[in-house]
Amino acid sequence: MSAPPISAQRFIGQRVPRKEDGRLLTGRGSFVDDIILPGMLHAAFVRSPIARGTIRSIDTDVARAQPGVHAVLTQADLAPFGVTMLSFFLGPVEVAMTPLADGRVAYVGHPVALVIADDRYLAEDAASLVVVDYAEEAAVVTLDDARLGPRVHPDTDDNVAALMGEEEADAALEALLAGAPHLVSQSIRHQRIAQSPMETRGVVASLQGESELLVHITCAGPQLVARWLTLALDRPGLSVRVVAKDVGGSFGLKNHPWMEEVSAILAAMLLRRPVKWIEDRIENLTAANQAREQEMTLRAAFDTNGRLIASHADYALNNGAYPMGADANIAVHMFLWAAYNIPAYSFVSRGWYSNTPGLAAYRGPWAIETLARETLLDRAARQIGIDPVEIRRRNLCTAADQPSVTPLGIPREDITPAQCLEKLLEVVDVPAFRAEQAAARAQGRYLGLGLAAYIEPTGAAGSIAVMTGELAQLRIEPTGRVVAVMSVHSQGHGTQTTMAQCIADQLGVPIEDVTIFDGDSSRGGFGPGAGGSRQGVIGGGAAIRAGRLLADKVKAVAAHLLNASPEAISLSDGMVHVAGAPEMRRTLREIAEIAYGEPGRLPPGMETGLEAQYRYDPPPMTFTSAAHACIVEVDADTGFVGIRRWVSSEDCGVMINPAVVEGQIAGGLAQAIGSVLLEDAARDAQGNPTAATFKDYALPTIFDVPDFEYVHADTPSQAEGGFRGVGEGGCIIGPPTLVNAIADALAPFGEVPVDLPLTPAKLMTVIEGQPWPERPVSRFHPDHRAPEVDAPAPVAPAVAAVAPAIAVGIDGAWKLVLATPMGPQPMVAHFQVAGDRVTGRLEADQGSQEFTGTLSGDQVRWEMKVTKPMAITLKYELTFAGSSVSGKCKMGLFGTAKVRGERA
Amino acid sequence: MKPAPFDYIRATSIDHACALLAEAGGGAQLLAGGQTLMPLLALRMSQPFILIDIGHLPELQGIAPHGGGLRIGAATRQADALVNPLLAQALPVFVTALAHVGHHQTRNRGTIGGSIALGEPAAEMPATAVALGASMTLRSTRGARTIAADDLYLGPYATAIAPDELLVAIDYPAWPADAVPLFREVARRPGDFALVGLVGALAIADGRIERAGIAWFGMGPTPIRARQAEQALVGQAIDRIDVQAIADLAIADSAPFDDGHASAAYRRSVGRRIFANGLMQALDRRLAA
Ligand SMILES: Cc1cc2nc3c(=O)[nH]c(=O)nc-3n(C[C@H](O)[C@H](O)[C@H](O)COP(=O)(O)OP(=O)(O)OC[C@H]3O[C@@H](n4cnc5c(N)ncnc54)[C@H](O)[C@@H]3O)c2cc1C
């Protein structure tokens, strides 16, 4: 298709206020939890409190008998559906996997049973009464555990989920590295990240008769979810309709349904009632899939001028128990040096299974490459003794280096990281900063400047089969209003505005006259939606081309009606104009009414109506480039990092809406700041989550995120409209920019290990010359020493005392279950009665403790102090009846827990 | 998560609340601002049978002169105390500390008494009460009693307030209008609980320290009075103080621990630095005045 016709572009490039903001900012969005269907039931999960083990038994009787409970489902109930859990690539997942745990549990939070009740309160009440008996096994939590420990999945050969690259060192490459004037090595570690969308996961599923399943779900793309569910459920005759109007962020977590959503959908099919499951924040932070948790050792060799000779990466990625696609993250290696000129690169990359939540995408899933490379370059600059700007200038791929192909086969034709860096340096005066830095240091203040550059693949379609093109379906209604149904879908991206901008320009209508509908798989065309910074490029291209087709039709109709040539017709201000004959102009509404309602007035043979659609497939790869600079001050008394300034210089081609572009960059940078300084979804040695609320999972707040400055280049891409994607960039380039600034600030004290997050406590070790905190040795390593546990108390010698009849019935061992807020806790209690005095011992997984109490009638009371999770006094009160016992335990601030039990 | 079932009763008076507490025999929780209790209920970490709402009781509101000092009603909202002119004049360091308690949104509902009764070891208000030498009036159907802030805190979230007792008011003794305020806090993000913090006041007469009240928060299982540092400061001329030595004494009384946000070593090291800097700056400001 040729260049845009007569209608001048007016909206593309403008800071058009977002059409969706009024609704979203005044609380009038429509999210999954806003969906209420008649007869709807509510789901709550029973989740595994242990990371690895087998399920001996599940007792649902008590839970099932609770008021308002409709069902308590286990995998035995769901198995008949024969669901196949699929990866992101729509193939069956690599390991045996069921919607609810099937005999084994593989992470803390693994869904074991599902309670369906009249409301969520009742469902949770009943869920706490499901008693699951587990045989616990030592958990495989960290990457080291995975390398050394037992298999996470009994049906695999080892814990390697995916392997790519050369396992045996490439001798030629090793020789290049060994023989180089400078060899720089950087080992980095990225912590586990919880994507933390503002709207947690959730689904409302309902069968509409026999042949339609309606699924309201918060997701990245309704069409992709419909495709996934159709394949996973595989029920001939059942059509799946997926609806997601507003979505409060995904960041990769919501690419497709997972165990919980599938279980809730099956429950709705089983009970033939609508079922709602809304993930609460604890579930989201502890049991939803997560991301990152990576280690990389990157080596790079430089010549005497600081030019790259060769590089090698050894990379490991924690896949958790059930990744949404077993992954060794090949994109990391494809793009690691793609912005630079390097003659040779090789790698080995392994994904590892562990007893943790599965790996999901997170904004820029391959971002570790930019973190490793850009921090290595700064280290190299310090080691070789050249300036960080200079080392990048010498190695970045410039216009003169293109077209060219990287060692991994990535073709480069129009990348601009070097221009972005130069534009950045026009705004950031590095020599002036160095002077300020020196003066500050003299006063004991530590300023640092960090730089980074990168390129990012965006707007992909066709390179992996799931990521298809996108469709725009357009009509001018008889009212004259323009309606577009898009297969791209916003999770907060502003596509209802940016797509309208693309369309309004083509049809010459005010932006207010364009309405975008999306988020319903039953409307419009097929397309996977968000992911890989693709919607602006592909959706924008589809919108422009559909708009152009429709404009052509309007012109053809108008030319026929007005006896003019189509070339003389132009569209603007919602009107059709004839060149040289202003009196002949017509409103779009007049043209549309005729086009739909008076077929006889149309050119012979022309289809009625004003409708058009276009399915756009962009060029295979569209690169966005950027360079960022950040200035920090590190407080040497506290180790706190203050961000003074942050400048982004990016080239995302033609900008549809600079405000939306800057919003995307800022959001990504906020997440980068979180990754570098604050967030950590760590698990302890047993695989328990240590950050279960936003008190402990510290997201950056408005106080932690500075106002960013933006510099834009606009090298048009080869895609329609000249657009390049911008969704993930901030989250990719942000981390090394900030890490480099911190390292520069603390250079007088020594090197700062890239071991995220860089907490004040860690940075303080550098300032004070203390060793960096070591990570605990894997429990499966020979050097591992088990933590000291209180030795179980010796069993009291049997006392042959004559006790009252009831007491005889109490002496000995009892199996008890304490229904704590964190789930039922099994224990064994030993009692010894002497008169009205009772001595005993309570054994639980955490250890054992002795107590002394009193007996009155059939009631035993005792108190015991515990120090974990905090210092509280537990007050037990148990009533014995034959071979069973029941009662309660008061737990201070934690309320009262029920106790049930029987003779051991 | 959703709370386990409970009954809700809106108390009509202190006596009513006390009677309800007595009747519940430990199965009740008082609800003041709810900024801690509501999340604990939602997490099912607290499962009371009865919730007794006292947040609105007029008898528990207000800030007024009392016995030479100030009395703060337990259910006085943090946001109201923050803008109270009496407090600003008599106990400026209290207001500084209060500004670090949570966020505007949480202070709008959270109460002074709720924060003090909760006994979070990293919270500002309990340490401020200890440092300034406050005492608490408690009521139950068994009668009223007074307890010193020093004796209130037993461990994390553990206080000497009995399950049937209600905190009615907190009495802060008078400090000279020109007492030197001490306040330093290090928190991951503004509004977070402290990793390490200190609060206190120094009464100065004729260039000498007459009275010192200083307490740590986030530095052990309870708020901790820096007793040795206080003793060493009293009687000293303010231009002769070895702040590093005093800071060492203050650290000697602390008992920090490791948690997910910082190590005990960090808390000790940074605590020493902020103590020394805080003390030095406070004294310098006074000397310059
Ligand atoms: C996001 C967030 C950030 C926060 N940050 C901080 C912070 O930085 N520093 C800080 O100190 N706090 C912080 N808090 C806690 C907040 O200050 C609480 O308001 C306060 O700790 C409890 O006060 P409340 O009135 O809300 O009490 P509630 O939550 O109603 O009650 C707390 C406990 O105290 C008991 N109680 C309340 N009143 C009485 C009384 N009169 N007599 C006896 N017992 C009583 C209750 O029964 C309950 O056990 C934060 C809270 C949130 C949600």
Side-chain angles (χ1 to χ4, degrees), chain A residues 99-293:
Chain A
L100 293 171
D102 188 12
R104 279 189 73 75
V105 288
Y107 59 97
V108 173
H110 195 158
V112 171
L114 180 60
V115 177
I116 308 292
D118 283 336
D119 66 38
R120 176 67 177 253
Y121 292 80
L122 296 173
E124 288 189 18
D125 290 347
S128 71
L129 296 170
V130 173
V131 179
V132 188
D133 185 15
Y134 299 96
E136 187 170 2
E137 298 162 15
V140 173
V141 181
T142 63
L143 285 166
D144 267 350
D145 288 350
R147 293 180 184 109
L148 301 168
R151 283 169 304 159
V152 169
H153 298 290
D155 51 349
T156 58
D157 294 337
D158 54 27
N159 283 331
V160 176
L163 171 67
M164 285 167 177
E166 301 288 333
E167 262 198 289
E168 296 302 318
D170 174 336
L173 189 93
E174 288 298 331
L176 279 176
L177 294 173
H182 302 284
L183 177 62
V184 182
S185 176
Q186 173 85 311
S187 288
I188 70 173
R189 182 181 180 277
H190 200 301
Q191 79 278 39
R192 177 175 282 260
I193 290 289
Q195 291 88 342
S196 309
M198 206 189 284
E199 183 191 23
T200 55
R201 292 182 300 159
V203 62
V204 177
S206 71
L207 269 184
Q208 312 280 300
E210 295 307 313
S211 61
E212 186 187 326
L213 175 68
L214 171 61
V215 179
H216 293 268
I217 186 170
T218 175
C219 65
Q223 310 285 350
L224 184 63
V225 171
R227 184 176 176 186
W228 193 98
L229 283 173
T230 301
L231 295 172
L233 296 174
D234 191 21
R235 287 170 81 88
L238 183 74
S239 60
V240 179
R241 177 181 171 200
V242 173
V243 180
K245 184 162 168 61
D246 292 313
V247 174
S250 162
F251 310 114
L253 179 62
K254 301 174 181 171
N255 281 344
H256 58 79
W258 211 231
M259 296 182 229
E260 289 88 345
E261 293 98 322
V262 171
S263 299
I265 289 167
L266 297 182
M269 294 171 69
L270 203 59
L271 300 180
R272 312 195 79 77
R273 291 274 294 268
V275 169
K276 174 186 273 189
W277 171 68
I278 301 295
E279 181 178 51
D280 67 33
R281 187 57 69 184
I282 295 217
E283 293 181 288
N284 181 256
L285 286 175
T286 62
N289 287 333
Q290 298 177 330
R292 305 290 202 256
E293 196 173 350

Side-chain angles (χ1 to χ4, degrees), chain B residues 6-285:
Chain B
F6 56 79
D7 288 334
Y8 169 90
I9 303 179
R10 195 171 154 92
T12 54
S13 66
I14 293 176
D15 286 339
H16 183 212
C18 288
L20 289 168
L21 278 176
E23 201 180 308
Q29 279 278 321
L30 293 170
L31 174 66
Q35 295 306 292
T36 298
L37 188 53
M38 295 309 287
L40 288 177
L41 291 175
L43 297 170
R44 297 191 174 219
M45 288 170 79
S46 178
Q47 299 193 12
F49 301 124
I50 305 169
L51 219 51
I52 304 169
D53 193 349
I54 55 165
H56 60 287
L57 286 181
E59 301 163 86
L60 295 176
Q61 313 287 336
I63 297 167
H66 183 85
L70 282 184
R71 165 166 282 200
I72 303 183
T76 304
R77 305 280 171 191
Q78 293 160 1
D80 293 335
L82 200 57
V83 294
N84 183 277
L86 285 177
L87 267 172
Q89 201 198 3
L91 297 170
V93 75
F94 178 99
V95 178
T96 306
L98 183 56
H100 287 76
V101 176
H103 311 267
H104 285 288
Q105 293 89 331
T106 64
R107 291 193 296 263
N108 281 338
R109 290 207 75 86
T111 66
I112 302 290
S115 182
I116 284 178
L118 178 69
E120 152 73 47
E124 293 83 359
M125 287 293 101
T128 307
V130 168
L132 299 180
S135 60
M136 284 70 194
T137 302
L138 304 174
R139 277 268 295 278
S140 69
T141 52
R142 296 174 287 127
R145 66 176 178 128
T146 301
I147 184 168
D150 274 329
D151 301 325
L152 187 64
Y153 296 106
L154 309 177
Y157 310 104
T159 68
I161 304 175
D164 66 341
E165 279 183 318
L166 181 139
L167 172 62
V168 174
I170 309 102
D171 285 312
Y172 294 83
W175 281 77
D178 67 343
V180 171
L182 287 174
F183 186 85
R184 281 290 154 106
E185 175 170 335
V186 176
R188 289 297 292 279
R189 300 165 300 180
D192 279 355
F193 285 102
L195 296 180
V196 35
L198 66 98
V199 57
L202 305 174
I204 294 168
D206 304 329
R208 282 182 190 281
I209 296 179
E210 258 193 339
R211 198 171 138 210
I214 309 172
W216 292 110
F217 48 104
M219 286 291 269
T222 61
I224 293 180
R225 181 180 287 283
R227 205 174 290 278
Q228 299 181 60
E230 289 175 352
Q231 283 164 3
L233 281 168
V234 170
Q236 292 224 33
I238 61 170
D239 55 351
R240 301 245 158 138
I241 289 171
D242 179 348
V243 292
Q244 299 298 340
I246 302 282
D248 286 342
L249 288 176
I251 286 295
D253 277 331
S254 73
F257 41 78
D258 293 337
D259 66 17
H261 296 293
S263 61
Y266 174 85
R267 292 184 155 95
R268 233 177 264 117
S269 164
V270 171
R272 180 183 290 107
R273 290 163 186 264
I274 62 170
F275 193 103
N277 289 348
L279 182 58
M280 189 158 61
Q281 279 181 18
L283 294 174
D284 282 354
R285 215 172 294 133

Side-chain angles (χ1 to χ4, degrees), chain A residues 745-770:
Chain A
L746 295 184
F749 299 102
E751 286 285 339
V752 176
V754 183
D755 172 11
L756 305 187
L758 299 178
T759 61
K762 284 185 187 164
L763 294 179
M764 214 53 206
T765 64
V766 176
I767 292 164
E768 296 188 324
Q770 302 289 328

